[in-house]
Amino acid sequence: MSLLFSYGASAEHNVVLRSYACCSFIFMQSFLSPRKDESVISTNGGNEEMVTDSINVARGLSPPGLSSSLSNKASVVPTPLLPNEPSDLRFNRLRPSIDESKYKRLFGCYVAREAVIDEEYWIAAWLRAEVHFEDQSGNCYVESFKRKFASQEFHALKKRCSKQHGEKYICFVAVKNDDLRRTVLNSVVGTLDVCVRHPLHGEKFPEEPGRPSLHCRIYQPDQPKFGYLTNVCVAKYARRQGIASNMLLLAIDAARINGAENIYIHVHKDNLPAWSLYNQIGFKMVDQDGARHASDLCLLSFGS
C-alpha cells in the first residue's frame, strides 16, 4: 500500500486512494470466492485428494503419479462453466442407471462405465483441472484457472466423444454402485478416456500428448486399428479398491470391441506405481526404434 501514497499528497487524495484500494480488494475477493450457487465436492469430509497418471498432466510442471495430492481442501465445481457462459448443468441431478451405459464393469461397491450425461463429462473435466493445478494452490487466481481449464476440457471432451467418423472416442467414469439416491457430484470417483482409430499416414505409434503431429490427418484404413488410453484419474480416498485397474480393463475390452488390435498408453519413466499397475494388467514397453519421443515418457502396449 505504501506505493499508493506519495509524500506531499493531500489528505483528500489519500482518502480517495484508500477507497479505491479497498474496492479493488473486495472485487477480487468476490471474483475468486465461490458463488452461492456453486456446488462443492464434499467427499471424504471435504478432505479429498487425487491420484493420477493423466497424459495431459504428464507434460505439466510436475511429473504424474499415482500418489499426488491436492492442497485445496474444498474443490469448487462452478455451475456455470464460466461467468459469461450459459449452462444447463445440474449437479443435484441423480446419477444415471448403469443400464444406460453400453460398456460397464461391476466390481466391489463401484461400477466402471461409459459417461452418459453432460454432468459426468464435466466432473471428469474438473478432476483433470484439479490435478493439473494441484501444485499451484498458493496462487490466488488458481480457482479461475481451474474453471477455464475445466470448461475448455469439458467442451473438447464432448466434441471428441461426438465424432462419428475416423475415431471412436469414449470417456469412462467409475461411480459408486449402491442403493443410495446419490447425485452425480457425489458418485464419480474416477475417469479415463480411450480413442480407437486407424493410424495416420506415416504414423507407426500414437503421438505423445502435447506435441504437434508430424502426420497429415488422413487415416490408413488398410492398417489395423489401435486404442490409445489417456487421462487416468482416481480420487485418493477411493484408492486401493481396484478402480484404476478395472477402468483400464473395461477400456481395453471396449477398444477390442471397436476393432483395436493393440492398445497403447504413455507413462512417466519415474512413475513406479503406474509401471507396476500397467505391468500387472499386461502392458509391455514398446521399442520405437529411435522414434521421436520425450525423455520423460515411455510408450506401453497391450497386445493380443
Side-chain angles (χ1 to χ4, degrees), residues 182-202:
R182 295 186 183 273
T183 63
V184 176
L185 188 63
N186 291 321
S187 298
V188 178
V189 297
T191 179
L192 175 155
D193 298 338
V194 62
C195 176
V196 179
R197 62 177 176 85
H198 292 286
L200 303 174
H201 275 280

Side-chain angles (χ1 to χ4, degrees), residues 97-117:
S97 167
I98 62 174
D99 297 330
E100 297 181 37
S101 299
K102 178 179 179 181
Y103 309 99
K104 50 184 173 288
R105 183 184 180 91
L106 293 151
F107 59 99
C109 58
Y110 299 98
V111 57
R113 59 170 175 76
E114 182 181 6
V116 295
I117 59 176

Side-chain angles (χ1 to χ4, degrees), residues 69-300:
S69 62
L70 293 177
S71 58
N72 187 16
K73 300 297 182 182
S75 301
V76 178
V77 182
T79 321
L81 306 179
L82 289 174
N84 60 346
E85 195 170 353
S87 171
D88 294 325
L89 297 177
R90 295 183 292 111
F91 294 109
N92 60 348
R93 183 174 179 175
L94 294 179
R95 62 186 174 186
S97 167
I98 62 174
D99 297 330
E100 297 181 37
S101 299
K102 178 179 179 181
Y103 309 99
K104 50 184 173 288
R105 183 184 180 91
L106 293 151
F107 59 99
C109 58
Y110 299 98
V111 57
R113 59 170 175 76
E114 182 181 6
V116 295
I117 59 176
D118 285 355
E119 286 80 1
E120 291 177 333
Y121 287 124
W122 171 255
I123 298 300
W126 185 257
L127 291 180
R128 297 165 194 179
E130 289 278 12
V131 171
H132 189 78
F133 292 102
E134 66 183 10
D135 59 344
Q136 300 185 33
S137 58
N139 190 324
C140 63
Y141 301 107
V142 69
E143 291 300 326
S144 296
F145 294 157
K146 285 192 288 188
R147 287 189 184 100
K148 183 175 181 180
F149 182 99
S151 178
Q152 292 174 343
E153 174 64 14
F154 169 72
H155 290 297
L157 181 58
K158 286 192 62 180
K159 183 177 180 181
R160 292 192 297 263
C161 291
S162 65
K163 278 190 174 182
Q164 301 297 322
H165 304 288
E167 298 182 2
K168 176 66 174 179
Y169 202 98
I170 308 172
C171 174
F172 291 104
V173 291
V175 301
K176 298 173 184 176
N177 184 35
D178 49 34
D179 296 329
L180 301 178
R181 288 172 55 85
R182 295 186 183 273
T183 63
V184 176
L185 188 63
N186 291 321
S187 298
V188 178
V189 297
T191 179
L192 175 155
D193 298 338
V194 62
C195 176
V196 179
R197 62 177 176 85
H198 292 286
L200 303 174
H201 275 280
E203 182 184 39
K204 189 175 181 180
F205 300 107
E207 288 283 350
E208 290 180 4
R211 283 186 175 267
S213 176
L214 297 178
H215 311 290
C216 60
R217 300 298 300 179
I218 301 177
Y219 298 101
Q220 301 181 76
D222 57 328
Q223 297 297 314
K225 289 182 178 180
F226 65 78
Y228 184 52
L229 305 176
T230 57
N231 296 318
V232 183
C233 184
V234 180
K236 187 174 181 180
Y237 76 91
R239 289 178 62 188
R240 309 300 183 191
Q241 301 182 64
I243 292 175
S245 59
N246 277 278
M247 286 196 302
L248 287 165
L249 291 171
L250 176 62
I252 291 171
D253 289 343
R256 289 282 174 78
I257 291 173
N258 284 277
E261 289 192 5
N262 291 310
I263 294 92
Y264 298 98
I265 191 168
H266 277 102
V267 61
H268 194 279
K269 63 183 180 63
D270 297 327
N271 192 343
L272 299 182
W275 277 97
S276 176
L277 172 63
Y278 300 147
N279 287 334
Q280 181 181 0
I281 290 177
F283 283 91
K284 304 297 181 184
M285 173 77 92
V286 174
D287 182 5
Q288 296 180 267
D289 296 326
R292 181 172 73 101
H293 64 281
S295 60
D296 59 346
L297 294 180
C298 301
L299 183 65
L300 306 183

Side-chain angles (χ1 to χ4, degrees), residues 30-49:
S30 62
F31 177 79
L32 295 172
S33 301
R35 295 183 297 276
K36 288 191 293 183
D37 61 342
E38 290 179 339
S39 303
V40 177
I41 294 178
S42 58
T43 52
N44 198 26
N47 186 20
E48 66 169 16
E49 295 182 355

